[in-house]
């Protein structure tokens, strides 16, 4: 087992990782920016070190700063969480060079699957259906040439992207040059890699992802699928598992395809293969996230597998504790991301001080958060302040439990997405489970028509 783990992240995921390490008896080292000096992960870790100013490029994205702390603190492993450096192959490689275990896939696997253009190639070689697309594009002419072949719309995507960043839809030639430049700029700023590729854009599919875990000995499992179709500008807002649109046969085929791809690159650790499911039931590989996902919690609720614990154990060299036959998915789980944003003002971020805070509770209710009364939400990072997860024996019970939990959730001092979540959970179309990634646009259209 590891001697000491550095958590190279912030917010709720850092708290989640530190708690998992505590249960395993592993001391932890937190890193934080000047803006996060009072964050909960700093308080919970065994040791904590400031690594720079609020600007993430000079703190959470600073590999020299993080590696300096790793050497100083004497850690033998680094957990990157999600976002920031979690999908940077160069960071994983530097960890390897310093004999510090990167809790995630090897740098080689990450380059193959974390780079979305390479991941497409791997999927094609392993008989997994993919959306028509390109390799890395360098100028507008390449995109326009591809668009003439497959017909608009097309979508530009950062090869190292995630979280809806570095993505732009183009519907005609005039939009290409500007969107390409914006995509490349955002990719460079968010991921330190400006490379972009292009795909045919599927209108109004469902967004489905499959959770996998693999160890160093070639053992793999998949833990069902999650439906992430309720999203805004490619940013997920509400997730659920299982998907109302996926039957048992499709679930098995998606899971087996995901494992084939993981085996092809000798993938180790926790990963997620993301797919688009069209209205005809056809599904296509979109990308692989080579890290733990924000929404891993709902999969934990229905599988009773502690995903973060397993991630740490397999990274330490232990064999996966489960075989596929051991996985028995039970019930239904829904997650609402609680963001400090004002939905009535185009989801404008609302940093500030939390003057009052009461989390909901009860059977089947879980809250993952890093905030507390008096906590000051900084304006420099993602606006998510927590995740509310509810489990039920079936989808309707999980939905009703979520509604009651949202009613109990109190955050005073800043605007949050809780009122928006309440409206969605009670929305008649959401209740049916029959929707796609255009749900939010339709939701607001229906609201407008009722006025």
């Amino acid at each position: 087992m590891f001697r000491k783990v550095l958590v190279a992240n912030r917010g709720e995921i850092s708290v989640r990782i530190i708690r998992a390490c505590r249960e395993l008896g592993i001391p932890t080292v937190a890193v934080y920016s000047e803006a996060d000096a009072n964050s909960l992960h700093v308080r919970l870790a065994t040791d904590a070190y400031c690594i720079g100013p609020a600007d993430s490029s000079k703190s959470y994205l600073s590999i020299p700063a993080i590696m300096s702390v790793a050497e100083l603190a004497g850690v033998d492993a680094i957990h990157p969480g999600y976002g920031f450096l979690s999908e940077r192959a160069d960071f994983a490689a530097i960890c390897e060079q310093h004999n510090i275990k990167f809790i995630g896939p090897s740098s080689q696997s990450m380059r193959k699957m974390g780079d979305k253009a390479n991941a497409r190639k791997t999927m094609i070689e392993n008989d997994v259906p993919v959306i028509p697309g390109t390799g890395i594009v360098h100028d507008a002419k390449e995109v326009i040439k591809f668009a003439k072949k497959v017909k608009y719309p097309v979508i530009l995507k950062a090869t190292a992207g995630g979280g809806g960043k570095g993505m732009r839809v183009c519907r005609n030639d005039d939009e290409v040059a500007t969107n390409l430049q914006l995509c490349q700029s955002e990719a460079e700023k968010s991921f330190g890699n400006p490379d972009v590729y292009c795909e045919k854009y599927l209108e109004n599919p469902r967004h489905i992802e499959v959770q996998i875990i693999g160890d160093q000995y070639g053992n793999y499992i998949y833990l069902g699928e999650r439906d992430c179709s309720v999203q805004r500008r490619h940013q997920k807002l509400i997730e659920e598992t299982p998907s109302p649109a996926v039957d048992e046969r499709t679930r098995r085929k998606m899971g087996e395809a995901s494992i084939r791809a993981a085996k092809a690159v000798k993938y180790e650790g926790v990963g997620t293969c993301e797919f688009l499911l069209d209205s005809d039931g056809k599904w296509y590989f979109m990308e692989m996230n080579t890290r733990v996902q924000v929404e891993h919690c709902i999969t934990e609720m229905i599988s009773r597998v502690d995903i973060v614990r397993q991630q740490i154990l397999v990274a330490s060299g232990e064999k996966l504790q489960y075989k596929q036959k051991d996985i028995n998915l039970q019930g239904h789980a829904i997650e609402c991301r609680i963001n400090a944003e004002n939905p009535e003002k185009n989801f404008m971020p609302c940093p500030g001080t939390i003057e009052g805070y009461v989390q909901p509770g009860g059977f089947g209710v879980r809250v993952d958060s890093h905030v507390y009364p008096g906590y000051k939400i900084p304006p420099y990072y993602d606006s998510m302040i927590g995740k509310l997860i509810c489990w039920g024996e079936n989808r309707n019970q999980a939905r009703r439990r979520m509604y009651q939990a949202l009613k109990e959730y109190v955050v005073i001092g800043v605007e949050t997405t809780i009122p928006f979540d309440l409206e969605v959970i009670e929305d008649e179309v959401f209740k049916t489970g029959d929707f796609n990634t255009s749900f939010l646009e339709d939701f607001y259209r229906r609201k407008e028509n009722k006025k």
Side-chain angles (χ1 to χ4, degrees):
M1 185 49 65
F2 297 123
R3 182 176 64 254
K4 190 184 291 186
V5 173
L6 184 150
V7 183
N9 216 296
R10 66 176 300 277
E12 65 84 19
I13 190 59
S14 292
V15 173
R16 173 74 178 90
I17 295 163
I18 289 168
R19 285 173 173 159
C21 287
R22 276 179 157 186
E23 290 177 13
L24 291 166
I26 307 170
T28 54
V29 175
V31 293
Y32 62 95
S33 72
E34 292 172 357
D36 274 336
N38 294 315
S39 191
L40 185 58
H41 78 287
V42 175
R43 301 184 182 188
L44 293 181
T46 311
D47 299 298
Y49 295 80
C50 182
I51 54 170
D55 185 345
S56 59
S57 68
K58 298 177 181 178
S59 52
Y60 297 110
L61 286 170
S62 173
I63 295 176
I66 290 171
M67 294 307 297
S68 293
V69 171
E71 294 286 345
L72 180 65
V75 307
D76 55 346
I78 294 178
H79 197 308
Y82 55 71
F84 293 128
L85 297 172
S86 63
E87 294 187 275
R88 287 275 295 272
D90 58 337
F91 180 49
I94 289 170
C95 290
E96 293 161 5
Q97 292 163 14
H98 286 77
N99 294 317
I100 294 174
K101 180 63 178 178
F102 180 84
I103 300 180
S106 68
S107 58
Q108 185 177 9
S109 294
M110 194 178 294
R111 285 191 179 97
K112 291 179 178 177
M113 293 303 280
D115 183 292
K116 293 169 175 52
N118 284 333
R120 285 175 51 83
K121 183 175 180 292
T122 300
M123 284 293 184
I124 291 169
E125 292 170 350
N126 287 273
D127 300 320
V128 179
V130 299
I131 302 167
T134 69
I136 296 169
V137 293
H138 302 92
D139 56 48
K141 290 180 181 178
E142 294 178 81
V143 178
I144 292 170
K145 181 179 178 182
F146 172 72
K148 289 186 184 302
K149 179 181 177 182
V150 299
K151 297 183 180 180
Y152 284 108
V154 297
I155 184 167
L156 297 166
K157 293 183 178 181
T159 64
K165 296 177 181 177
M167 299 172 68
R168 291 287 189 283
V169 176
C170 303
R171 298 187 179 276
N172 54 60
D173 291 354
D174 295 336
E175 295 180 352
V176 171
T178 299
N179 283 347
L180 178 59
Q181 186 177 14
L182 288 170
C183 245
Q184 291 170 330
S185 176
E186 187 173 17
E188 174 67 39
K189 181 180 179 181
S190 299
F191 314 111
N193 182 348
D195 290 343
V196 170
Y197 71 103
C198 188
E199 282 183 346
K200 169 65 180 172
Y201 181 63
L202 297 184
E203 297 276 13
N204 304 327
R206 291 190 82 124
H207 185 154
I208 309 294
E209 59 187 31
V210 176
Q211 178 74 66
I212 66 159
I213 311 176
D215 63 20
Q216 300 173 19
Y217 311 99
N219 302 305
Y220 294 89
I221 57 172
Y222 64 90
L223 300 175
E225 85 291 344
R226 298 183 286 255
D227 195 314
C228 308
S229 299
V230 179
Q231 51 186 254
R232 173 180 176 268
R233 296 180 180 173
H234 309 292
Q235 185 73 34
K236 302 166 188 173
L237 298 174
I238 297 176
E239 302 98 348
E240 62 182 300
T241 182
S243 168
V246 173
D247 59 26
E248 188 57 44
R249 180 175 179 273
T250 303
R251 179 172 300 116
R252 176 174 53 80
K253 284 187 171 295
M254 281 185 170
E256 291 172 349
S258 299
I259 287 178
R260 285 201 306 274
K263 285 183 174 180
V265 297
K266 297 181 180 178
Y267 191 89
E268 173 198 327
V270 168
T272 304
C273 286
E274 303 207 0
F275 301 90
L276 294 180
L277 176 70
D278 70 18
S279 57
D280 296 324
K282 295 179 181 177
W283 48 275
Y284 305 89
F285 172 77
M286 182 170 57
E287 62 189 37
M288 184 174 189
N289 295 121
T290 56
R291 54 173 168 79
V292 68
Q293 293 277 91
V294 175
E295 58 273 17
H296 73 276
C297 324
I298 52 174
T299 298
E300 290 180 331
M301 295 289 271
I302 69 162
S303 68
R304 301 303 177 190
V305 173
D306 186 330
I307 291 171
V308 175
R309 180 187 178 92
Q310 289 303 309
Q311 185 183 28
I312 296 168
L313 289 175
V314 299
S316 72
E318 293 197 17
K319 286 188 175 181
L320 194 59
Q321 295 181 338
Y322 301 89
K323 297 184 184 300
Q324 195 62 50
K325 65 180 181 180
D326 301 324
I327 305 305
N328 180 26
L329 305 179
Q330 297 183 330
H332 199 99
I334 301 173
E335 173 182 293
C336 287
R337 301 189 186 197
I338 309 301
N339 298 334
E341 298 172 349
N342 187 341
E344 297 301 317
K345 295 184 178 179
N346 201 29
F347 290 84
M348 180 180 71
C350 297
T353 301
I354 294 180
E355 299 170 0
Y357 183 77
V358 180
Q359 291 185 174
F363 184 82
V365 177
R366 166 178 167 179
V367 178
D368 281 18
S369 179
H370 62 288
V371 306
Y372 51 86
Y375 175 75
K376 188 173 182 178
I377 302 167
Y380 312 104
Y381 313 113
D382 186 273
S383 58
M384 188 172 70
I385 60 172
K387 304 179 304 194
L388 175 59
I389 305 101
C390 292
W391 177 90
E393 293 181 4
N394 52 55
R395 186 175 187 269
N396 191 49
Q397 187 184 67
R399 188 192 61 78
R400 291 175 63 84
R401 185 166 285 159
M402 175 62 76
Y403 180 79
Q404 294 304 321
L406 286 165
K407 295 282 282 187
E408 290 181 23
Y409 210 148
V410 178
V411 182
I412 300 172
V414 296
E415 298 288 343
T416 74
T417 51
I418 291 173
F420 162 81
D421 293 330
L422 278 164
E423 284 190 86
V424 171
I425 291 298
E426 282 292 278
D427 178 72
E428 291 303 319
V429 173
F430 184 84
K431 286 180 181 180
T432 68
D434 185 13
F435 53 84
N436 52 48
T437 53
S438 67
F439 171 83
L440 200 57
E441 291 86 347
D442 295 339
F443 170 77
Y444 279 114
R445 192 178 301 115
R446 292 195 303 276
K447 280 188 65 174
E448 191 64 29
N449 290 337
K450 288 179 182 178
K451 290 182 179 180

